[in-house]
Amino acid sequence: MPTTPDFPQMLRGAGLRVTRPRLAVLDAVHQHAHADTDTVIGVVRQGLPEVSHQAVYDVLRALTTAGLLRRIQPSGSVARYESRVGDNHHHVVCRTCGAIGDVDCAVGHAPCLTASDDNGFRIDEAEVIYWGQCPDCAAALRS
Amino acid sequence: MPTTPDFPQMLRGAGLRVTRPRLAVLDAVHQHAHADTDTVIGVVRQGLPEVSHQAVYDVLRALTTAGLLRRIQPSGSVARYESRVGDNHHHVVCRTCGAIGDVDCAVGHAPCLTASDDNGFRIDEAEVIYWGQCPDCAAALRS
DNA sequence: ACGCTTTACTTGAACGAGTCAAGAATGCCA
DNA sequence: TGGCATTCTTGACTCGTTCAAGTAAAGCGT
C-alpha cells in the first residue's frame, strides 16, 4: 500500500490549479475504483454539497487528460474512472452486473499484444477487456 | 472471398422471420463493415426508403443477439456493427478520426489472453482494442 | 389459398449521459 | 494585495438510444 497520495502536489505537478472540487474528485476516485460519473458526483457531494455536475465532468476530463486518472468505458457502460495510471493493467467485466475488476498484464512483457497485421496503423496502446461473470453472478446463474 | 451469403437462410437458421428490413440491414452491414447505426439507416433507406430508425435499431439488436452480427463500441464511439462473427478477431481504432480496422488474433493460439489473476471471474472472452493513428491521421500529424 | 396468431414495424414521445454557453467566483503570480 | 486567467455555477440543449401503443405482415395449420 503506498502512502496516501499528495493530491495538491499531483495537481500542481500536472500544471493544474488546486481547487476543492479537484481534490474531492481525486479523493473520490482513489477511494472508489471504477466509479461512474454519477457515483463520483455523489461521493464528492458528501464533503462538498454544492458542486455542480458540470464541475465534476470538467474535472474528470481535466484529470484524465493530465494523466492523473484513467477513463474506461466497456461497451454498454457509462464512463468509469480509476486512479491506477501508468501501469499496463486491464479489466474483467461481468456481463450480468457490470462489475469491474483489475487484471495485471497477462504476461510480463506484451509480445502478444502486437497486432499481427496493423493495417498501417501506428499503434500506441493495446486495451484488453475480459468478459465473463463475476463470482456472484456466476453462482446465481448456476442456481 | 466467400460466395454471397444466403441472408434468408441465415435468418431462418437463427429462428428469425425473413423480412425486407432484416435483409436490407444484413446486406448493409455486410457491405459496410464497422458502420454505425446512422450509416446503416442511410444505406438501408437507399433500397427501402420507408424504414423507420426504430426498425433498424430493433433489427440490429435482433441480429446481434442471434449471433449474425457483432456489435463493437470503442470508448467515445457510438455502436458499430460488423458481419465477421464467430472468429476471434480484434480491432485497431484511430484516436483521431475513429477509423476502425480488423486485426486477426495476435497469436495463433491465445495464451496471452488468459488473465493472470481473474478475481474469481469466469471469463469467456477477451476483447482487444488497439489504439493509435490510422495512416492518414499519422501523416497529417507529422506534417 | 385462407385466415389466425405471433412477431415485426411505424409513429411519436421520452430518457439519460454528456456537452455547450454565459456569467460569477476562485486560484495564483507579480 | 491586485489583476487576470482559469475554473465553477447555472441552465439549456444535443444526440444516441429506448419505451409504448397501435398497425402491418410473416408463416403456420387447415
Side-chain angles (χ1 to χ4, degrees), chain B residues 50-102:
Chain B
E50 302 302 323
V51 263
S52 62
H53 72 135
Q54 186 62 41
V56 175
Y57 274 97
D58 286 349
V59 169
L60 286 172
R61 179 161 37 180
L63 298 184
T64 302
T65 303
L68 297 182
L69 295 181
R70 181 173 162 194
R71 174 188 179 131
I72 58 178
Q73 186 172 24
S75 297
S77 170
V78 296
R80 292 165 175 275
Y81 297 87
E82 64 181 354
S83 54
R84 264 183 78 179
V85 294
D87 66 346
N88 182 10
H89 82 276
H90 304 300
H91 298 99
V92 265
V93 182
C94 177
R95 290 187 191 277
T96 304
C97 70
I100 298 181
D102 285 338

Side-chain angles (χ1 to χ4, degrees), chain A residues 27-60:
Chain A
D27 190 55
V29 176
H30 273 257
Q31 287 181 44
H32 301 77
H34 313 136
D36 59 27
T37 307
D38 219 52
T39 301
V40 173
I41 291 174
V43 173
V44 166
R45 283 186 177 154
Q46 287 174 14
L48 218 59
E50 301 302 323
V51 265
S52 60
H53 73 137
Q54 185 62 36
V56 175
Y57 273 100
D58 286 349
V59 169
L60 286 172

Side-chain angles (χ1 to χ4, degrees), chain A residues 73 76 92 95 102-104 106 112-113 116 119-125 127-133 135 142, chain B residues 73 75-76 95 102 104 106 112-113 115-116 119-125 127-133 135 142:
Chain A
Q73 186 173 21
V92 264
R95 290 186 192 277
D102 284 338
V103 175
D104 289 321
C112 60
L113 296 182
S116 53
N119 287 263
F121 279 60
R122 166 177 299 204
I123 295 171
D124 60 57
E125 183 189 347
E127 175 186 7
V128 183
I129 297 181
Y130 299 96
W131 292 93
Q133 302 290 141
R142 222 171 290 123
Chain B
Q73 186 172 24
S75 297
R95 290 187 191 277
D102 285 338
D104 289 321
C112 59
L113 297 182
S116 52
N119 287 264
F121 279 60
R122 164 177 299 207
I123 296 172
D124 60 57
E125 182 189 348
E127 174 185 7
V128 183
I129 297 181
Y130 298 95
W131 292 93
Q133 303 290 142
R142 223 174 288 122

